[in-house]
Amino acid sequence: MAYETILSEKRGEVGLITLNRPDAMNALNSRLLSELLDAVGKMDADARIGAVVITGSQKAFAAGVDIKEMQDYEFADICMNDFVAGWDRFAATRKPVIAAVSGYALGGGCELAMMCDFIIAGESAKFGQPEITLGVMPGMGGTQRLARAIGKAKTMEMCLTGRLMDAAEAESSGLVARVVPDHEVVEEAMRAAEKIAGLSRPAVLMTKETVNRAFETTLAEGLRFERRAFQSMFALEDQKEGMAAFVEKRSPSFKNR
Ligand code: HXC
C-alpha cells in the first residue's frame, strides 16, 4: 500500500510513523486510518520491531477526525459502517506504542494519543476534547480513557466545555508520562522505544497486556492475571538470562527479541 497521509519508517528495531497531512493539521480521515492500520499492523507482525512511535508535526499531532469528511454523515451511515471500529483495531496493537505529541492533540487526535501506551509531550502540546463545540461528543474513547487517566472533574470540564489542557497540566494530571522541549520529543520517544525494543519481547508484551487489565477488571481479577503472567515468565529463557546477567554484573542478551 502506497502511503499518502503518513510516513512509515524503520529505525533499527523501532517503527516510526509520522502523521502527514500538513494542510489539515493531520486531521484523521478514512484514508489516514487505513494507512495507519496497515503500517502498525505490519510493524506488529514484524519480528525485528520491538516498539512503535507515532508522531505528527510541530503544529499538530492531530486536530481530530476530519470534520469535512464527517460533516454530511447520517446516523445510518456511521452506524452501519461502524465508523469507529478501525480505531479499536489500532488500540489492540500488541507491541508498545508511544505517542510523541507536539502541538494540537484534539478530539480524535487526543483519543489516538490515549490509545497509545504512553505519551511523551513537547512543551507546545495542547490536549482537548472539543467535540461538544461541534454539536457532538467524543466517540473514539475520549470520555472513557480521559476519565481513567485524569479523573472525573477535569474530564467533565474538558468534554463539557471543550477547554484545552497545556502540556504542564497534562503532566501534572497524569495524562502524559513526561514533558520535554519540542525539538526533543521524537528523540525522547525513540529513546524510550529503543530501550523497550532491547528487552525480552514476551516480557514486554505480557507487561503491556497486564497493565491494560488494570483498566478493564476488578483489583482481585487484575492481581490474579498479574500473578499468572509473572509466574509464566519463569518458563522463559529470558528470565534466566536477565537474572544471570545481573548476578554476573554484565548486560543481558535476551534471546526472544
Ligand atoms: C478537518 C481540519 C481539522 C479537522 C483543522 N483542519 N482541524 N480539517 N478536520 N479536525 C484544517 C482547517 O480547516 C484548515 O484548513 C487547516 O486545517 C488549518 O487549520 P486552521 O483552523 O486554519 O488553523 P488554526 O487557526 O491554527 O487552528 C488550529 C486548530 C483548529 C485550533 C487545531 O484548526 C481547530 O479547532 N480544529 C478543529 C479541532 C476539533 O474540533 N477537533 C475535533 C474534531 S471531531 P483550510 O482548508 O481551511 O485552510 C472529532 C470526533 C472524534 O475528532 C470522534 C469520532 C468518532
Side-chain angles (χ1 to χ4, degrees), residues 112-132:
L112 169 59
M114 290 191 291
M115 283 177 211
C116 298
D117 298 307
F118 59 92
I119 301 170
I120 294 185
E123 284 163 345
S124 70
K126 284 195 168 42
F127 299 88
Q129 299 290 163
E131 290 91 336
I132 197 76

Side-chain angles (χ1 to χ4, degrees), residues 9-220:
E9 57 187 290
K10 207 154 72 171
R11 293 196 190 166
E13 292 182 296
V14 175
L16 173 62
I17 296 173
T18 306
L19 307 181
N20 188 32
R21 295 189 70 209
D23 297 338
M25 295 271 171
N26 290 331
L28 308 169
N29 63 7
S30 45
R31 172 91 203 178
L32 187 147
L33 170 59
S34 58
E35 291 183 7
L36 184 60
L37 286 176
D38 187 75
V40 161
K42 284 182 176 140
M43 290 172 180
D44 217 17
D46 185 340
R48 289 158 302 180
I49 288 188
V52 177
V53 171
I54 297 188
T55 193
S57 67
Q58 286 288 327
K59 264 188 170 170
F61 176 72
V65 172
D66 193 314
I67 299 166
K68 293 165 190 167
E69 188 180 74
M70 207 171 24
Q71 65 175 336
D72 293 326
Y73 287 169
E74 298 292 342
F75 173 78
D77 300 325
I78 56 169
C79 190
M80 287 190 296
N81 300 341
D82 206 356
F83 185 49
V84 180
W87 294 103
D88 294 341
R89 279 170 50 209
F90 173 83
T93 306
R94 293 185 72 216
K95 287 180 183 161
V97 183
I98 303 171
V101 175
S102 296
Y104 295 108
L106 305 183
C110 185
E111 292 169 306
L112 169 59
M114 290 191 291
M115 283 177 211
C116 298
D117 298 307
F118 59 92
I119 301 170
I120 294 185
E123 284 163 345
S124 70
K126 284 195 168 42
F127 299 88
Q129 299 290 163
E131 290 91 336
I132 197 76
T133 65
L134 300 169
V136 290
M137 62 177 280
M140 280 163 51
T143 60
Q144 305 302 300
R145 289 196 177 93
L146 194 61
R148 281 166 168 76
I150 68 173
K152 177 180 168 182
K154 281 180 186 285
T155 300
M156 280 290 189
E157 189 200 8
M158 289 173 73
C159 291
L160 291 176
T161 69
R163 178 175 80 82
L164 307 190
M165 182 181 256
D166 67 19
E169 186 183 0
E171 185 180 30
S172 64
S173 309
L175 180 58
V176 310
R178 234 149 12 97
V179 179
V180 299
D182 277 325
H183 65 276
E184 286 173 21
V185 71
V186 174
E187 218 173 283
E188 275 298 313
M190 288 297 294
R191 255 199 288 277
E194 279 156 15
K195 169 80 189 177
I196 293 167
L199 303 172
S200 163
R201 297 267 154 84
V204 163
L205 294 182
M206 280 194 272
T207 301
K208 168 170 172 167
E209 191 185 4
T210 306
V211 173
N212 279 332
R213 278 281 155 143
F215 302 99
E216 291 164 2
T217 190
T218 61
L219 178 61

